[in-house]
Amino acid sequence: MENNSIFIEKLRSSGLRPTKQRIKICKLLFDRKKTFHFTINDLSKILKNEISKKISLATIYNTVHSFKKKGYLKEISVNKDKSYFDTNTSNHHHFLDINTNELIDLKNEDVHNIKIKKRIPGKKINSIEVLVKIENSN
Amino acid sequence: MENNSIFIEKLRSSGLRPTKQRIKICKLLFDRKKTFHFTINDLSKILKNEISKKISLATIYNTVHSFKKKGYLKEISVNKDKSYFDTNTSNHHHFLDINTNELIDLKNEDVHNIKIKKRIPGKKINSIEVLVKIENSN
DNA sequence: TTCTAATTTATAATGATTCTAAAGTAGTGT
DNA sequence: ACACTACTTTAGAATCATTATAAATTAGAA
Ligand SMILES: [Mn+2]
Ligand SMILES: [Mn+2]
Ligand SMILES: [Zn+2]
Ligand SMILES: [Zn+2]
């Protein structure tokens, strides 16, 4: 009745025990066609609705952070008081709608190749992140 | 003995009374050759050292926020728990050194022109911000 | 089944930021 | 110069998201 084996494997293979809570959160985050962006608060609310037995807030934090550490989630800080987690862990850029705070993926081909001309001695580039803020155009 | 008149004017012209505290913070932030990046905590420490009579933390928050609202500062959120203020209010991009958390300005000509091919109906672009994370290259 | 370490949980602690409301100050008008 | 008022500063309290704690539960191994 359940199609959990893939998540159980995923968890096991990264040294995380496949608990009910982690499997539930895996299904919620990764068992979908499209990737998405969420806050801890979003996830917490969704779980509150979708689930019979409550998952404690501490577990939600722990799980999201361990998924991030394992590379299953990226964290994207858009401003001082809003930080999203992203189930799309590939290198990609974002629109941020400053009217709604919605974060929207840009495909890599949507952004002309970025070339950084300056270099800092002894440092190498780890990643390049573009945040395009958009607003109502009326 | 003081060269405060320029800051007094700046404050007055934006409807802020030139108080001792605001003038002191203006001098500290804007009376320098190079722009710079700071956190509230940085500023608070600098003031603690440089000043005889203490400025209360609430005033530091209030002042920085009103300077931001007046457009004298930009805020740059680099990750969930670090947000910088920037005395360089022009459009420009940044290196973030992920080993030291230092933020370094990129001149506009250091970043090849960025072209966003995708558009969202009813929305227009407000700004484009590039954050280039760098790390030790050894 | 038994044992152990990992995990979950409720709750407390933390800490950065914001709020409050009382005291102080700058600008205006007389 | 003085008085008046709105603005500002201040210390301390309140808030709230996140992290820590430590007891109960559970998963995996033997
Ligand atoms: Mn959200
Ligand atoms: Mn700093
Ligand atoms: Zn994304
Ligand atoms: Zn800058």
Side-chain angles (χ1 to χ4, degrees), chain B residues 20-76:
Chain B
K20 271 193 278 297
Q21 294 82 351
R22 284 171 177 161
I23 293 167
K24 176 69 201 173
I25 292 175
C26 270
K27 285 167 68 178
L28 208 152
L29 296 181
F30 306 121
D31 194 8
R32 22 177 102 218
K33 301 227 178 56
K34 302 195 159 211
T35 59
F36 78 117
H37 307 112
F38 65 94
T39 64
I40 295 277
N41 186 45
D42 292 337
L43 179 55
S44 168
K45 280 196 212 131
I46 296 172
L47 286 166
K48 211 163 280 166
N49 292 338
E50 292 220 356
I51 221 175
S52 42
K53 186 179 180 315
K54 135 180 194 201
I55 297 180
S56 88
L57 187 56
T59 298
I60 297 174
Y61 274 98
N62 290 340
T63 302
V64 167
H65 287 149
S66 55
F67 286 4
K68 181 188 174 191
K69 188 176 296 178
K70 296 300 181 182
Y72 303 146
L73 292 173
K74 280 177 78 169
E75 190 166 9
I76 296 158

Side-chain angles (χ1 to χ4, degrees), chain A residues 37-39 41-42 45 82 84 100-102:
Chain A
H37 307 112
F38 64 95
T39 63
N41 187 46
D42 294 334
K45 280 196 213 133
K82 195 126 201 177
Y84 287 99
T100 65
N101 254 338
E102 190 190 4

